[in-house]
């Protein structure tokens, strides 16, 4: 019997059958026509590692030819495809009652988008560059217009035309050459993050022949516009080489090859266009290699050799290097300067000294000023510094908000751009004159269906963690929503890689909040919300702080009458999906539902599989279970897939994408297969696999909203126990 024959039944039969007795809560009354979930067959695989043994019943779900599947999903194994199809059919049948709500939420979300919209133009030389959408457009149009204001706009690329006839199309990067004669763009046509890079001659409007193949999407023109540099993607999806060729096409030359499979690489230009910079880094170590603009075909030179646990990134400020670094125990980073000709660490001098608890997360340079973005207590601020060392702050007075420093497209300017929003306040875009300190409001995000920030309340709570740390929690609710425990609450979290969760505005969330929900963001350890130490204290052997912080946030919300146990839906994606899997195992009683979007849940197996593109680069984050027994044991103790056991789990929705190279489709598939027979609650475990997309879901701006509406409708369904009426 072949693998296809071993499947329990077809998708059509599954949707029509009756729920098996073992899937019910004892004594539960279920409608006779309740759909039956797929039954994943078990093929036990015994895995020995570092003297430990684990048995994986669902290893067969991983396609050994997964690299080819990323490029062509039709190559997926027949039995895997049939099982995924059956899972999608079961979920659709279970959530059929939510279709009107999904449609209503989608129309609400779409109605909050200004369909005929454009970005604020960015000035660069004789042109201003911007993107625009026309009514009905799924994708942006890339445009420019004369800076002086005379003359009509020119369309550089219509991404809608590029996407025509394709199930997926995403322009991941686009840029013009410094001389404004060429325009390049990187398209991912599968969701697999394998890109082609095209170059367009703006004088003739012709796309030049021989597009660059198998790229990550990262590229840059040389400062003299004669060359294009890009990052190659190897057969396993890793960025491994930097190549260069003439910008208008020609012979390709290898510029740099990274020998360490644990490092990510990319290429760009300095703010003053004095150098091309190759950046090499993982989560704890980095190195920059530089090529002078005066000799763009020269071999790259190391700025400062890599040293484990030291991070730095470098930019050039006209007459010197400006470097952001955690060197010399500067946990929350400092800014140093170094001579152009001698940029090594021996010549680093403090420009902005380290201050514990004030995390310097970004730096932007123009000719006479440095802008830096800092983070503390889960909020951001922007500091401006001139060449003489005088500083001032762009201030905001709200309990929770987000400032984002946009910098400038030109070096010789006194104007930088920044954005401001909060959970209740749409984004305002400002141009800020660094010399006069005057700001010009360029745009306020328009919500066509109407939005009054005064109708909402934004609050910042601090939840006490088990070890005494205070975990910030941002809360958004309508003023009319009571704080008496009666309102359903969605709690969102991430908590990995030092990525903070901004207290920002999202029109999509209003489809829950306007229905009387409370929306909360837990700024847990693992992110950098309270500084880089906030990240360092929830990685490797302290990773569980991420999970216990999220639980502490939920318990604090319950204690403050924002929610009740069992009336909360938890949501997180990717590494936030790991969080969802962990808290689902640790405290299932807290949640009515758990939404794990592209969830990284099969931790031990994934971090032991060196064929996967993210495994070696992520050992600094999670540990190496191939060589380190202590790391293996600790990871096993929280790995969501491995820690599933018989208990009363909440309703669960796991989502994934067939073309996802980051969290492969079989992780949510395997998690669901193990969870479903284990739960004793009778609450459903559902799987949604997008068969035409990858890690980011659907590419069109409206198609993506359908996915958000689906997940939010599941949240409402979970609170209302909709499966009892399925």
């Amino acid at each position: 019997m072949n693998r296809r024959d071993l499947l329990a039944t077809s998708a059509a039969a599954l949707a029509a059958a009756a729920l098996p007795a073992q899937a019910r809560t004892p004594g539960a009354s279920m409608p006779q026509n309740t759909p039956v979930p797929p039954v994943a067959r078990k093929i036990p695989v015994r895995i020995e590692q570092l003297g430990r043994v684990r048995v994986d019943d669902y290893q067969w779900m991983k396609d050994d030819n997964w690299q080819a599947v990323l490029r062509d999903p039709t190559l997926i194994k027949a039995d895997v495809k049939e099982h995924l199809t059956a899972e999608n059919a079961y979920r659709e049948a279970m959530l059929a009652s939510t279709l009107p709500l999904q449609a209503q939420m989608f129309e609400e979300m779409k109605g909050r988008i200004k369909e005929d919209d454009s970005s604020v133009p960015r000035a660069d030389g004789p042109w201003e560059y911007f993107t625009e959408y026309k009514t009905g457009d799924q994708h942006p149009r890339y445009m420019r217009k004369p800076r002086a204001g005379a003359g009509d706009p020119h369309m550089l690329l219509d991404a809608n035309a590029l996407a025509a006839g394709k199930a997926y199309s995403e322009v991941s990067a686009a840029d013009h050459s410094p001389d404004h004669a060429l325009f390049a763009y990187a398209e991912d046509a599968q969701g697999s993050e394998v890109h082609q890079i095209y170059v367009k001659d703006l004088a003739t409007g012709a796309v030049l022949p021989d597009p660059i193949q198998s790229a990550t999407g990262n590229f840059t023109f040389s400062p003299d516009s004669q060359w294009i540099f890009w990052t190659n993607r190897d057969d396993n999806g890793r960025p491994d080489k930097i190549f260069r060729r003439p910008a208008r096409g020609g012979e390709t030359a290898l510029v740099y090859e990274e020998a360490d499979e644990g490092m990510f690489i990319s290429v760009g230009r300095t703010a003053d266009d004095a150098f091309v910079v190759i950046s090499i880094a993982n989560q704890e170590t980095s190195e920059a290699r530089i090529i002078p603009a005066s000799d763009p075909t020269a071999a790259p030179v190391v700025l400062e050799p890599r040293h484990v646990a030291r991070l730095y990134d470098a930019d050039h400020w006209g007459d010197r290097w400006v470097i952001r670094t955690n060197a010399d125990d500067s946990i929350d980073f400092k800014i140093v300067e170094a001579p152009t000709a001698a940029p090594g660490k021996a010549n680093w001098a403090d420009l902005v000294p380290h201050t514990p608890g004030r995390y310097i997360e970004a730096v932007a340079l123009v000719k006479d000023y440095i802008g830096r973005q800092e983070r503390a207590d889960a909020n951001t601020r922007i500091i401006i510094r001139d060449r003489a060392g005088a500083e001032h702050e762009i201030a905001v007075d709200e309990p929770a908000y987000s400032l984002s420093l946009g910098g400038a497209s030109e070096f010789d300017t006194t104007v930088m751009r920044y954005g401001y929003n909060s959970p209740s306040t749409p984004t305002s875009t400002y141009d800020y004159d660094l010399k006069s300190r005057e700001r010009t409001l360029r745009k306020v995000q328009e919500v066509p269906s109407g939005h009054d920030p005064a109708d909402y309340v934004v609050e910042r709570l601090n939840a006490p963690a088990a070890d005494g740390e205070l975990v910030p929690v941002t809360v958004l609710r309508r003023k009319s929503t009571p704080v008496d425990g009666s309102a359903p609450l969605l709690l969102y979290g991430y908590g990995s890689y030092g990525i903070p969760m901004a207290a920002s505005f999202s029109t999509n969330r209003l489809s829950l909040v306007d229905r009387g929900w409370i929306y909360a963001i837990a700024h847990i350890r693992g992110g950098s919300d309270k500084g880089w130490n906030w990240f360092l204290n929830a990685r490797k052997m302290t990773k569980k702080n991420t999970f216990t912080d999220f639980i502490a946030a939920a318990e604090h919300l319950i204690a403050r009458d924002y929610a009740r146990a069992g009336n909360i839906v938890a949501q997180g994606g990717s590494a936030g999906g790991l969080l969802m899997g962990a808290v689902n195992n640790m405290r299932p009683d807290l949640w009515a539902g758990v939404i794990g979007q592209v969830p990284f849940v099969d931790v031990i197996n994934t971090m032991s599989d060196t064929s996967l593109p993210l495994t070696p680069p992520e050992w600094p984050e999670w540990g190496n279970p191939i060589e380190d027994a202590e790391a293996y044991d600790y990871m096993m103790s929280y790995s969501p897939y491995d820690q599933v056991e018989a208990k009363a789990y909440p309703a669960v929705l796991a989502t994934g994408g067939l073309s996802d190279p980051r969290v492969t489709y079989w992780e949510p598939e395997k998690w669901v297969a193990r969870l479903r027979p284990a739960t004793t609650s009778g609450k459903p475990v559902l799987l949604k696999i997008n068969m035409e997309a990858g890690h980011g879901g659907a590419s069109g701006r409206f198609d993506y909203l359908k996915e958000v509406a689906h997940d939010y409708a599941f949240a409402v369904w979970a609170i209302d126990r909709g499966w009892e009426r399925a």
Side-chain angles (χ1 to χ4, degrees):
M1 183 178 291
N2 61 35
R3 289 186 174 185
R4 183 182 180 91
D5 294 331
L6 285 170
L7 278 173
T9 180
S10 69
L14 288 170
L19 186 68
Q22 65 267 27
R24 302 178 187 173
T25 303
S29 175
M30 301 292 289
Q32 290 300 308
N33 62 347
T34 298
V36 174
V39 178
R41 72 185 187 281
K42 295 182 179 181
I43 302 178
V45 175
R46 188 175 186 271
I47 304 169
E48 296 186 28
Q49 194 169 324
L50 295 175
R52 282 90 171 138
V53 176
R54 65 184 186 274
V55 177
D56 191 343
D57 291 331
Y58 304 108
Q59 190 76 354
W60 64 268
M61 293 178 175
K62 176 189 174 183
D63 197 316
D64 293 334
N65 196 32
W66 64 267
Q67 295 97 330
V69 173
L70 289 182
R71 292 172 171 82
D72 184 359
T74 64
L75 297 177
I76 192 169
K77 293 188 299 183
D79 56 347
V80 174
K81 181 179 180 180
E82 189 167 352
H83 183 74
L84 293 175
T85 301
E87 286 284 4
N88 278 338
Y90 169 65
R91 171 190 45 79
E92 289 171 2
M94 288 296 290
L95 293 178
S97 65
T98 71
L99 289 176
L101 177 60
Q102 290 184 47
Q104 185 179 9
M105 284 187 167
F106 168 73
E107 291 299 332
E108 291 170 2
M109 294 175 188
K110 186 178 178 182
R112 298 188 194 105
I113 294 176
K114 188 177 187 296
E115 289 200 39
D116 187 4
D117 199 9
S118 62
S119 65
V120 179
R122 299 187 72 97
D124 187 9
W127 299 94
E128 291 185 329
Y129 291 84
F130 62 102
T131 59
E132 69 176 20
Y133 287 90
K134 296 298 185 182
T135 300
D137 281 356
Q138 288 262 31
H139 303 274
R141 301 166 189 241
Y142 294 82
M143 309 290 293
R144 74 177 180 184
K145 62 183 180 180
R147 186 169 185 167
D152 296 329
H154 301 249
M155 185 161 64
L156 309 176
L157 171 67
D158 182 356
N160 299 280
L162 186 68
K166 300 173 184 174
Y168 185 98
S169 176
E170 183 76 20
V171 175
S172 303
D175 198 11
H176 59 277
S177 58
D179 65 1
H180 307 278
L182 300 172
F183 179 76
Y185 54 95
E187 184 200 19
D188 175 4
Q190 186 56 58
S192 60
E193 301 178 31
V194 178
H195 295 79
Q196 284 187 307
I197 300 173
Y198 301 86
V199 179
K200 183 176 183 179
D201 184 328
L202 295 180
T204 66
V207 176
L208 300 176
D210 192 21
I212 294 165
Q213 304 291 329
S214 194
T216 66
N218 164 245
F219 67 86
T220 192
F221 288 101
S222 60
D224 65 2
S225 302
Q226 299 305 301
W227 304 89
I228 187 169
F229 295 76
W230 73 93
T231 304
N232 183 68
R233 196 177 189 90
D234 71 11
D235 290 340
N236 282 333
R238 292 193 185 97
D240 64 338
K241 300 179 183 72
I242 303 295
F243 286 115
R244 177 196 69 239
R245 79 179 193 190
R248 294 178 179 272
E251 185 176 351
T252 294
L254 176 65
V255 178
Y256 175 74
E257 181 172 6
E258 175 55 45
D260 186 343
E261 292 184 338
M263 306 299 279
F264 295 102
I265 60 174
S266 62
V267 62
R269 300 195 307 271
T270 56
D272 60 1
D273 271 347
F275 292 87
V276 171
V277 179
I278 297 171
S279 300
I280 308 153
N282 61 20
Q283 281 86 358
E284 63 179 7
T285 303
S286 65
E287 179 180 277
R289 298 188 177 217
I290 56 178
I291 302 169
S294 59
D295 189 6
T297 62
V301 175
V302 175
L303 189 148
E304 168 62 24
R306 69 189 74 178
H307 180 79
V308 174
R310 183 176 68 205
L311 292 165
Y312 74 88
D313 50 71
D315 204 348
H316 199 256
W317 200 24
D319 61 352
R320 72 193 80 171
W321 288 96
V322 172
I323 301 165
R324 187 186 72 103
T325 181
N326 66 349
D328 307 316
D329 297 320
S330 302
I331 292 174
D332 285 311
F333 288 72
K334 63 180 178 178
I335 301 174
V336 300
E337 58 183 350
T340 297
K345 186 177 183 301
N347 300 309
W348 290 2
D350 284 3
L351 191 65
V352 179
H354 174 244
T355 299
R358 179 203 63 184
Y359 170 47
I360 300 174
E361 59 182 3
V363 175
L365 307 179
V366 293
K367 184 178 179 181
D368 292 317
Y369 297 89
I370 297 176
R372 69 178 186 268
Q373 185 169 305
E374 301 179 347
R375 184 172 295 275
D377 295 325
N379 281 329
T380 48
R381 64 177 186 168
I382 295 172
I383 308 296
I384 305 301
R385 179 188 180 95
D386 65 20
R387 282 190 176 269
E391 294 189 351
H392 67 276
E393 179 181 352
I394 299 176
V396 172
D397 185 20
E398 275 203 78
Y401 61 88
S402 176
L403 275 175
S404 55
L405 178 62
S409 296
E410 299 177 299
F411 186 66
D412 190 2
T413 183
T414 61
V415 177
M416 281 191 189
R417 180 163 295 166
Y418 73 91
Y420 163 77
N421 61 32
S422 78
S424 64
T425 307
T427 300
S428 292
T429 302
Y430 294 93
D431 279 347
Y432 185 75
D433 191 299
L434 310 170
K435 185 176 182 180
S436 68
R437 303 190 185 184
E438 295 179 355
R439 67 179 187 176
T440 302
L441 178 62
R442 297 296 305 275
K443 181 179 180 179
V444 176
Q445 178 184 354
E446 184 179 337
V447 183
S449 61
H451 175 76
D452 186 352
D455 292 338
Y456 300 85
V457 175
V458 177
E459 297 164 295
R460 173 59 58 78
L461 311 179
N462 285 287
D467 60 359
E469 290 283 0
L470 294 178
V471 180
V473 182
T474 299
V475 173
L476 172 68
R477 61 181 174 86
R478 287 191 70 91
K479 281 184 176 179
S480 58
T481 299
V483 182
D484 60 4
S486 64
L489 184 144
L490 190 142
L491 181 61
Y492 186 88
Y494 185 74
S496 288
Y497 307 118
I499 298 173
M501 289 293 99
S504 57
F505 181 72
S506 167
T507 56
N508 295 339
R509 297 170 189 162
L510 301 179
S511 284
L512 286 178
V513 174
D514 287 350
R515 283 177 168 81
W517 283 61
I518 295 174
Y519 190 97
I521 302 170
H523 303 276
I524 51 184
R525 278 175 283 188
S528 58
D529 305 67
K530 293 182 71 172
W532 198 243
N533 223 28
W534 201 242
F535 158 62
L536 296 178
N537 287 332
R539 63 196 287 265
K540 289 186 175 179
M541 303 303 290
T542 57
K543 186 61 201 172
K544 290 182 183 178
N545 283 337
T546 299
F547 318 138
T548 55
D549 279 3
F550 191 83
I551 291 169
E555 291 177 327
H556 189 64
L557 288 163
I558 293 167
R560 294 284 300 272
D561 281 336
Y562 285 87
R564 293 196 309 266
N567 207 38
I568 302 171
V569 174
Q571 182 184 26
S574 195
L578 163 66
L579 167 68
M580 294 299 102
V583 301
N584 192 45
N585 287 331
M586 296 168 68
R587 288 296 305 277
D589 59 300
L590 290 175
W591 326 114
V594 169
I595 304 172
Q597 300 163 297
V598 288
F600 170 46
V601 285
D602 192 10
V603 180
I604 290 289
N605 283 322
T606 295
M607 297 313 298
S608 300
D609 187 348
T610 56
S611 76
L612 297 173
L614 293 186
T615 292
E618 295 203 351
W619 285 333
E621 175 84 10
W622 312 104
N624 183 346
I626 301 174
E627 299 178 352
D628 186 341
E630 186 180 13
Y632 181 104
D633 291 342
Y634 187 73
M635 293 165 73
M636 178 61 75
S637 72
Y638 68 75
S639 175
Y641 175 66
D642 297 286
Q643 292 304 314
V644 170
E645 58 186 5
K647 62 177 62 174
Y649 285 104
V652 172
L653 172 64
T655 70
L658 189 60
S659 302
D660 189 349
R662 296 174 182 255
V663 179
T664 49
Y665 71 84
W666 59 81
E667 291 212 36
E669 184 186 15
K670 290 172 65 176
W671 185 41
V672 165
R674 182 166 281 184
L675 261 178
R676 189 177 286 141
T679 185
T680 61
S681 68
K683 298 177 181 180
V685 178
L686 307 179
L687 177 65
K688 179 177 187 268
I689 296 293
N690 189 326
M691 305 295 277
E692 298 176 333
H695 197 66
S699 56
R701 59 172 176 163
F702 302 136
D703 289 343
Y704 174 72
L705 294 180
K706 293 177 182 178
E707 296 188 342
V708 178
H710 172 278
D711 295 351
Y712 281 0
F714 168 84
V716 174
W717 186 79
I719 290 287
D720 293 344
R721 300 178 65 88
W723 59 87
E724 294 179 350
R725 300 177 296 279

